[in-house]
Amino acid sequence: MIIGRRELLGTASLIGGGLALGAGSPGWAIDAVSSGDLRDAVAGRRVFYAGTALHVPFLERVGHARAAGMDGVSIFTAEWQALIDGGMTPAEVRRRLDDAGVLLTDYEGIMNWIPDRAPAADPKMAAQMARLTPEAILPMAAAAGARTVLVGDMNPEPADLDRAAEGFSRLCDLAAEYGLRAELEFMPFGGIPDLAAGWEVVRRAGQPNGGLLIDSWHFFRSKSSLELLAEIPGEKIIAVQLNDGPATAEPDLLTETMHRRRLPGAGDFALDALLAVLDRIDFRGPVGIETYSDDFAALGGAEIAQRSAEALDRAIRSHQTGAGKPRA
């Protein structure tokens, strides 16, 4: 997951104005449920993540996902705001998802949550991230009917892990009030750059509704350890995003991840090894495709969804038959 294409960052209001979504807004926060119930709700879902087809309007993506045999989607705050500003009510959006038989698995996301975190040096990024607080995002995620809110840190300065754990623990407490789980995504160009750092934050926070999101691009580009992943309880991995890339990274990781990801099987990542470890630790959450690609920007939503569903099927079959690549 990334906040969105650079065009989205530059032109959209990421939290919007005029929405007063407090914890007491009637009908907007889903009932509080246990972390186990939330896991069961999303177990086995095949997710068409927003970043794979951001140029396709959200409700169109929902239909394309269902037609391709996928039953989960994610949404960015800018997209949610556009729906509400366009006259739809939260109940209408949730009804459209229900009618399609598609679950909103992930709401993307919270980026300002570490106490006393210095802003990013880039003033534009700093301004965007400053708005994405738990207090702003959680009510919208609940209103949308999401099961999980995504949490990240795109500030390239290394984060203090103790302070990050403190912030993540507080965030999880707030999320629990809305019946939400919180998934922390590490990113090699951010302040929590790899699996080791991400797991330390989640482990120290010790919250039942907190865990990790594993994005295969971030996992392999950060040179994260399959051995460490094998030591993490499966229930602490909330979701998995699959994509692929060449064995050699580009010098600018942010540009590569935003523009030149590949579908699973079209690169050199050892996805079969990753999936094998996830099986061993009894991961049972949703698995989907997140492939930011300039090549996809010229395609229609139906074709992107179909290609994504087929690539996801191939990746799972390759893992099950042992036909995948050696570790990249």
Side-chain angles (χ1 to χ4, degrees):
M1 171 271 173
I2 302 296
I3 276 291
R5 288 190 181 277
R6 290 180 178 176
E7 313 86 89
L8 184 63
L9 276 169
T11 61
S13 168
L14 293 178
I15 65 169
L19 278 183
L21 305 183
S25 301
W28 285 43
I30 61 176
D31 294 335
V33 293
S34 73
S35 293
D37 289 339
L38 285 169
R39 284 196 299 272
D40 291 343
V42 299
R45 292 276 175 170
R46 295 155 47 86
V47 185
F48 189 33
Y49 280 99
T52 307
L54 263 181
H55 64 291
V56 179
F58 173 72
L59 291 175
E60 290 183 27
R61 280 205 315 270
V62 170
H64 295 318
R66 180 72 273 183
M70 305 178 91
D71 54 4
V73 293
S74 71
I75 191 170
F76 286 106
T77 294
E79 298 182 293
W80 173 254
Q81 185 67 59
L83 291 170
I84 302 305
D85 288 349
M88 295 193 75
T89 67
E92 288 172 330
V93 178
R94 295 195 302 268
R95 185 164 55 249
R96 291 284 294 272
L97 286 160
D98 289 344
D99 289 347
V102 174
L103 188 72
L104 183 61
T105 56
D106 308 73
Y107 190 100
E108 309 187 43
I110 295 171
M111 294 285 155
N112 181 7
W113 52 278
I114 301 175
D116 304 321
R117 181 83 159 124
D122 182 333
K124 186 175 181 180
M125 175 179 284
Q128 295 284 3
M129 299 303 104
R131 303 171 187 169
L132 303 178
T133 64
E135 290 79 6
I137 300 302
L138 289 170
M140 288 188 275
R147 298 307 192 266
T148 303
V149 62
L150 192 146
V151 181
D153 181 77
M154 292 182 69
N155 186 337
E157 291 299 316
D160 180 297
L161 297 188
D162 284 329
R163 296 296 274 161
E166 177 186 340
F168 191 69
S169 180
R170 175 181 177 274
L171 187 159
C172 287
D173 281 337
L174 294 172
E177 296 178 9
Y178 292 95
L180 291 164
R181 292 192 297 171
E183 56 187 4
L184 177 60
E185 181 175 28
F186 57 88
M187 309 176 205
F189 42 77
I192 301 172
D194 54 21
L195 176 64
W199 174 233
E200 271 302 294
V201 172
V202 170
R203 184 187 66 79
R204 295 181 195 181
Q207 292 282 27
N209 64 328
L212 291 166
L213 180 147
I214 303 295
D215 178 318
S216 60
W217 195 95
H218 298 320
F219 186 92
F220 289 108
R221 283 293 182 251
S222 66
K223 302 187 184 330
S224 288
S225 165
L226 289 169
E227 290 74 18
L228 174 59
L229 181 61
E231 298 174 2
I232 298 173
E235 66 267 19
K236 301 307 288 184
I237 308 300
I238 291 180
V240 172
Q241 297 173 338
L242 294 181
N243 42 66
D244 215 330
T248 301
E250 296 181 15
D252 185 339
L253 291 179
L254 182 57
T255 296
E256 182 186 0
T257 198
M258 292 294 293
H259 296 276
R260 285 180 285 281
R261 294 191 187 196
R262 302 178 186 177
L263 285 172
D268 300 312
F269 294 168
L271 298 178
D272 60 309
L274 177 64
L275 292 171
V277 172
L278 290 165
D279 266 355
R280 289 204 299 274
I281 64 175
D282 199 27
F283 164 73
R284 299 185 182 186
V287 180
I289 299 294
E290 188 188 60
T291 303
Y292 287 87
S293 168
D294 288 351
D295 292 339
F296 278 1
L299 302 179
E303 183 174 357
I304 298 171
Q306 189 61 43
R307 289 190 186 186
S308 296
E310 291 171 356
L312 181 58
D313 288 341
R314 286 193 300 268
I316 293 172
R317 284 198 304 269
S318 175
H319 152 60
Q320 290 171 341
T321 61
K325 306 179 187 71
R327 183 174 180 181

